[in-house]
mmCIF file of all heavy atoms in Angstrom:
data_model
loop_
_atom_site.group_PDB
_atom_site.id
_atom_site.type_symbol
_atom_site.label_atom_id
_atom_site.label_comp_id
_atom_site.label_asym_id
_atom_site.label_seq_id
_atom_site.Cartn_x
_atom_site.Cartn_y
_atom_site.Cartn_z
ATOM 1 N N TYR A 82 11.133 2.711 4.984
ATOM 2 C CA TYR A 82 12.449 2.827 5.594
ATOM 3 C C TYR A 82 13.548 2.953 4.543
ATOM 4 O O TYR A 82 14.728 2.856 4.854
ATOM 5 C CB TYR A 82 12.727 1.635 6.525
ATOM 6 C CG TYR A 82 13.672 1.990 7.649
ATOM 7 C CD1 TYR A 82 13.233 2.743 8.720
ATOM 8 C CD2 TYR A 82 15.010 1.623 7.610
ATOM 9 C CE1 TYR A 82 14.084 3.109 9.745
ATOM 10 C CE2 TYR A 82 15.881 1.983 8.640
ATOM 11 C CZ TYR A 82 15.409 2.733 9.698
ATOM 12 O OH TYR A 82 16.262 3.102 10.706
ATOM 13 N N LEU B 4 16.713 6.138 -0.395
ATOM 14 C CA LEU B 4 17.628 5.944 0.726
ATOM 15 C C LEU B 4 18.420 7.215 0.966
ATOM 16 O O LEU B 4 18.905 7.831 0.033
ATOM 17 C CB LEU B 4 18.616 4.830 0.404
ATOM 18 C CG LEU B 4 18.192 3.412 0.744
ATOM 19 C CD1 LEU B 4 19.224 2.443 0.224
ATOM 20 C CD2 LEU B 4 18.047 3.257 2.232
ATOM 21 N N GLU B 5 18.561 7.569 2.239
ATOM 22 C CA GLU B 5 19.278 8.807 2.508
ATOM 23 C C GLU B 5 20.745 8.680 2.116
ATOM 24 O O GLU B 5 21.304 9.552 1.491
ATOM 25 C CB GLU B 5 19.127 9.198 3.975
ATOM 26 C CG GLU B 5 17.783 9.893 4.223
ATOM 27 C CD GLU B 5 17.080 9.412 5.479
ATOM 28 O OE1 GLU B 5 17.731 9.308 6.519
ATOM 29 O OE2 GLU B 5 15.867 9.141 5.402
ATOM 30 N N GLN B 6 21.361 7.544 2.474
ATOM 31 C CA GLN B 6 22.753 7.340 2.074
ATOM 32 C C GLN B 6 22.848 5.975 1.420
ATOM 33 O O GLN B 6 23.197 4.999 2.088
ATOM 34 C CB GLN B 6 23.687 7.372 3.287
ATOM 35 C CG GLN B 6 23.524 8.627 4.123
ATOM 36 C CD GLN B 6 23.787 8.313 5.581
ATOM 37 O OE1 GLN B 6 23.222 7.401 6.155
ATOM 38 N NE2 GLN B 6 24.695 9.067 6.166
ATOM 39 N N ALA B 9 25.874 3.796 1.947
ATOM 40 C CA ALA B 9 26.195 3.329 3.291
ATOM 41 C C ALA B 9 25.404 2.080 3.669
ATOM 42 O O ALA B 9 25.655 1.471 4.696
ATOM 43 C CB ALA B 9 25.902 4.426 4.292
ATOM 44 N N TYR B 10 24.454 1.695 2.849
ATOM 45 C CA TYR B 10 23.574 0.596 3.223
ATOM 46 C C TYR B 10 24.146 -0.760 2.827
ATOM 47 O O TYR B 10 24.357 -1.047 1.671
ATOM 48 C CB TYR B 10 22.202 0.800 2.583
ATOM 49 C CG TYR B 10 21.273 -0.363 2.769
ATOM 50 C CD1 TYR B 10 20.999 -0.862 4.041
ATOM 51 C CD2 TYR B 10 20.666 -0.961 1.676
ATOM 52 C CE1 TYR B 10 20.144 -1.937 4.220
ATOM 53 C CE2 TYR B 10 19.810 -2.033 1.839
ATOM 54 C CZ TYR B 10 19.553 -2.515 3.115
ATOM 55 O OH TYR B 10 18.706 -3.568 3.271
ATOM 56 N N THR B 13 22.339 -6.614 6.438
ATOM 57 C CA THR B 13 22.923 -7.737 7.167
ATOM 58 C C THR B 13 21.833 -8.757 7.445
ATOM 59 O O THR B 13 20.741 -8.395 7.868
ATOM 60 C CB THR B 13 23.513 -7.268 8.506
ATOM 61 O OG1 THR B 13 22.581 -6.335 9.076
ATOM 62 C CG2 THR B 13 24.840 -6.586 8.317
ATOM 63 N N ARG B 99 14.298 7.446 17.617
ATOM 64 C CA ARG B 99 14.511 6.765 16.344
ATOM 65 C C ARG B 99 13.466 5.689 16.062
ATOM 66 O O ARG B 99 13.412 5.146 14.969
ATOM 67 C CB ARG B 99 15.894 6.122 16.320
ATOM 68 C CG ARG B 99 16.109 5.059 17.400
ATOM 69 C CD ARG B 99 17.557 4.626 17.422
ATOM 70 N NE ARG B 99 17.862 3.665 18.459
ATOM 71 C CZ ARG B 99 17.960 3.932 19.761
ATOM 72 N NH1 ARG B 99 17.738 5.155 20.189
ATOM 73 N NH2 ARG B 99 18.260 2.975 20.622
ATOM 74 N N ASP B 100 12.649 5.362 17.049
ATOM 75 C CA ASP B 100 11.618 4.336 16.854
ATOM 76 C C ASP B 100 10.452 4.890 16.052
ATOM 77 O O ASP B 100 10.326 6.096 15.856
ATOM 78 C CB ASP B 100 11.121 3.834 18.221
ATOM 79 C CG ASP B 100 12.230 3.153 19.004
ATOM 80 O OD1 ASP B 100 13.145 2.592 18.369
ATOM 81 O OD2 ASP B 100 12.176 3.185 20.255
ATOM 82 N N TRP B 101 9.593 3.980 15.617
ATOM 83 C CA TRP B 101 8.429 4.392 14.835
ATOM 84 C C TRP B 101 7.140 3.984 15.531
ATOM 85 O O TRP B 101 7.053 2.903 16.113
ATOM 86 C CB TRP B 101 8.459 3.745 13.445
ATOM 87 C CG TRP B 101 9.254 4.501 12.437
ATOM 88 C CD1 TRP B 101 10.620 4.611 12.396
ATOM 89 C CD2 TRP B 101 8.751 5.238 11.315
ATOM 90 N NE1 TRP B 101 10.988 5.382 11.314
ATOM 91 C CE2 TRP B 101 9.872 5.769 10.633
ATOM 92 C CE3 TRP B 101 7.478 5.503 10.820
ATOM 93 C CZ2 TRP B 101 9.740 6.547 9.473
ATOM 94 C CZ3 TRP B 101 7.345 6.273 9.671
ATOM 95 C CH2 TRP B 101 8.472 6.791 9.014
ATOM 96 N N ARG B 140 8.668 10.150 12.894
ATOM 97 C CA ARG B 140 8.644 8.676 12.975
ATOM 98 C C ARG B 140 7.269 8.205 13.445
ATOM 99 O O ARG B 140 7.150 7.364 14.332
ATOM 100 C CB ARG B 140 9.724 8.153 13.928
ATOM 101 C CG ARG B 140 11.122 8.727 13.680
ATOM 102 C CD ARG B 140 11.837 7.953 12.599
ATOM 103 N NE ARG B 140 13.260 8.196 12.589
ATOM 104 C CZ ARG B 140 13.858 9.065 11.755
ATOM 105 N NH1 ARG B 140 13.146 9.778 10.901
ATOM 106 N NH2 ARG B 140 15.162 9.194 11.767
ATOM 107 N N LEU B 158 8.832 -2.207 8.170
ATOM 108 C CA LEU B 158 9.763 -1.147 8.528
ATOM 109 C C LEU B 158 10.772 -1.635 9.568
ATOM 110 O O LEU B 158 11.978 -1.413 9.442
ATOM 111 C CB LEU B 158 9.009 0.070 9.056
ATOM 112 C CG LEU B 158 9.936 1.224 9.430
ATOM 113 C CD1 LEU B 158 9.436 2.539 8.846
ATOM 114 C CD2 LEU B 158 10.130 1.346 10.936
ATOM 115 N N ALA B 159 10.282 -2.339 10.559
ATOM 116 C CA ALA B 159 11.188 -2.835 11.605
ATOM 117 C C ALA B 159 12.199 -3.810 11.003
ATOM 118 O O ALA B 159 13.386 -3.787 11.345
ATOM 119 C CB ALA B 159 10.369 -3.509 12.705
ATOM 120 N N HIS B 160 11.713 -4.650 10.114
ATOM 121 C CA HIS B 160 12.580 -5.620 9.440
ATOM 122 C C HIS B 160 13.656 -4.882 8.627
ATOM 123 O O HIS B 160 14.842 -5.219 8.687
ATOM 124 C CB HIS B 160 11.710 -6.496 8.544
ATOM 125 C CG HIS B 160 12.458 -7.489 7.716
ATOM 126 N ND1 HIS B 160 13.180 -8.515 8.262
ATOM 127 C CD2 HIS B 160 12.572 -7.621 6.359
ATOM 128 C CE1 HIS B 160 13.728 -9.239 7.285
ATOM 129 N NE2 HIS B 160 13.375 -8.708 6.122
ATOM 130 N N ALA B 161 13.228 -3.868 7.896
ATOM 131 C CA ALA B 161 14.171 -3.093 7.070
ATOM 132 C C ALA B 161 15.209 -2.408 7.950
ATOM 133 O O ALA B 161 16.403 -2.382 7.629
ATOM 134 C CB ALA B 161 13.419 -2.058 6.234
ATOM 135 N N ALA B 162 14.753 -1.866 9.067
ATOM 136 C CA ALA B 162 15.682 -1.174 9.963
ATOM 137 C C ALA B 162 16.746 -2.149 10.456
ATOM 138 O O ALA B 162 17.930 -1.822 10.530
ATOM 139 C CB ALA B 162 14.925 -0.577 11.148
ATOM 140 N N ARG B 163 16.319 -3.360 10.785
ATOM 141 C CA ARG B 163 17.287 -4.323 11.292
ATOM 142 C C ARG B 163 18.256 -4.772 10.196
ATOM 143 O O ARG B 163 19.439 -4.971 10.455
ATOM 144 C CB ARG B 163 16.585 -5.525 11.902
ATOM 145 C CG ARG B 163 17.475 -6.176 12.961
ATOM 146 C CD ARG B 163 16.694 -6.906 13.982
ATOM 147 N NE ARG B 163 15.883 -7.894 13.317
ATOM 148 C CZ ARG B 163 15.975 -9.201 13.575
ATOM 149 N NH1 ARG B 163 16.838 -9.633 14.445
ATOM 150 N NH2 ARG B 163 15.187 -10.030 12.955
ATOM 151 N N LEU B 164 17.731 -4.916 8.969
ATOM 152 C CA LEU B 164 18.624 -5.243 7.855
ATOM 153 C C LEU B 164 19.700 -4.177 7.714
ATOM 154 O O LEU B 164 20.836 -4.446 7.339
ATOM 155 C CB LEU B 164 17.836 -5.352 6.546
ATOM 156 C CG LEU B 164 16.927 -6.572 6.362
ATOM 157 C CD1 LEU B 164 16.028 -6.382 5.142
ATOM 158 C CD2 LEU B 164 17.745 -7.838 6.210
ATOM 159 N N LYS B 165 19.286 -2.944 7.985
ATOM 160 C CA LYS B 165 20.224 -1.827 7.864
ATOM 161 C C LYS B 165 21.158 -1.729 9.041
ATOM 162 O O LYS B 165 22.102 -0.944 9.032
ATOM 163 C CB LYS B 165 19.446 -0.499 7.776
ATOM 164 C CG LYS B 165 19.095 -0.084 6.363
ATOM 165 C CD LYS B 165 18.306 1.211 6.364
ATOM 166 C CE LYS B 165 19.099 2.335 5.755
ATOM 167 N NZ LYS B 165 18.240 3.510 5.461
ATOM 168 N N GLY B 166 20.888 -2.482 10.083
ATOM 169 C CA GLY B 166 21.744 -2.448 11.256
ATOM 170 C C GLY B 166 21.335 -1.386 12.266
ATOM 171 O O GLY B 166 22.103 -1.064 13.161
ATOM 172 N N ASP B 167 20.140 -0.818 12.114
ATOM 173 C CA ASP B 167 19.656 0.192 13.073
ATOM 174 C C ASP B 167 18.858 -0.512 14.170
ATOM 175 O O ASP B 167 18.059 -1.399 13.883
ATOM 176 C CB ASP B 167 18.732 1.199 12.369
ATOM 177 C CG ASP B 167 19.447 1.942 11.250
ATOM 178 O OD1 ASP B 167 20.695 1.918 11.244
ATOM 179 O OD2 ASP B 167 18.768 2.529 10.392
ATOM 180 N N ASP B 168 19.051 -0.091 15.428
ATOM 181 C CA ASP B 168 18.288 -0.751 16.496
ATOM 182 C C ASP B 168 16.971 -0.009 16.734
ATOM 183 O O ASP B 168 16.685 0.499 17.806
ATOM 184 C CB ASP B 168 19.117 -0.883 17.778
ATOM 185 C CG ASP B 168 19.456 0.462 18.387
ATOM 186 O OD1 ASP B 168 19.377 1.478 17.660
ATOM 187 O OD2 ASP B 168 19.786 0.511 19.589
ATOM 188 N N VAL B 169 16.167 0.022 15.673
ATOM 189 C CA VAL B 169 14.890 0.730 15.695
ATOM 190 C C VAL B 169 13.776 -0.263 16.014
ATOM 191 O O VAL B 169 13.786 -1.389 15.535
ATOM 192 C CB VAL B 169 14.647 1.372 14.311
ATOM 193 C CG1 VAL B 169 13.199 1.776 14.132
ATOM 194 C CG2 VAL B 169 15.568 2.572 14.115
ATOM 195 N N VAL B 170 12.813 0.185 16.829
ATOM 196 C CA VAL B 170 11.643 -0.643 17.136
ATOM 197 C C VAL B 170 10.404 0.038 16.574
ATOM 198 O O VAL B 170 10.304 1.262 16.582
ATOM 199 C CB VAL B 170 11.495 -0.819 18.666
ATOM 200 C CG1 VAL B 170 10.222 -1.567 19.019
ATOM 201 C CG2 VAL B 170 12.717 -1.540 19.237
ATOM 202 N N PRO B 198 11.720 -6.571 15.075
ATOM 203 C CA PRO B 198 11.591 -5.803 16.321
ATOM 204 C C PRO B 198 10.309 -4.956 16.347
ATOM 205 O O PRO B 198 10.353 -3.739 16.156
ATOM 206 C CB PRO B 198 12.849 -4.932 16.338
ATOM 207 C CG PRO B 198 13.272 -4.827 14.906
ATOM 208 C CD PRO B 198 12.774 -6.049 14.193
ATOM 209 N N ALA B 256 12.569 -6.379 21.953
ATOM 210 C CA ALA B 256 12.622 -6.240 20.495
ATOM 211 C C ALA B 256 13.952 -5.609 20.079
ATOM 212 O O ALA B 256 14.605 -6.062 19.144
ATOM 213 C CB ALA B 256 11.452 -5.386 20.010
ATOM 214 N N ARG B 257 14.352 -4.582 20.828
ATOM 215 C CA ARG B 257 15.574 -3.872 20.463
ATOM 216 C C ARG B 257 16.798 -4.774 20.603
ATOM 217 O O ARG B 257 17.740 -4.692 19.841
ATOM 218 C CB ARG B 257 15.740 -2.615 21.339
ATOM 219 C CG ARG B 257 16.626 -1.584 20.669
ATOM 220 C CD ARG B 257 16.868 -0.328 21.476
ATOM 221 N NE ARG B 257 15.716 0.363 22.005
ATOM 222 C CZ ARG B 257 14.906 1.137 21.291
ATOM 223 N NH1 ARG B 257 15.086 1.284 19.999
ATOM 224 N NH2 ARG B 257 13.888 1.737 21.865
#
Side-chain angles (χ1 to χ4, degrees):
Chain A
Y82 208 75
Chain B
L4 272 174
E5 279 136 46
Q6 306 148 308
Y10 173 54
T13 42
R99 61 188 177 286
D100 297 331
W101 274 72
R140 310 276 196 262
L158 181 132
H160 176 64
R163 206 154 57 121
L164 288 169
K165 270 179 112 167
D167 300 343
D168 65 341
V169 164
V170 175
R257 203 181 309 283

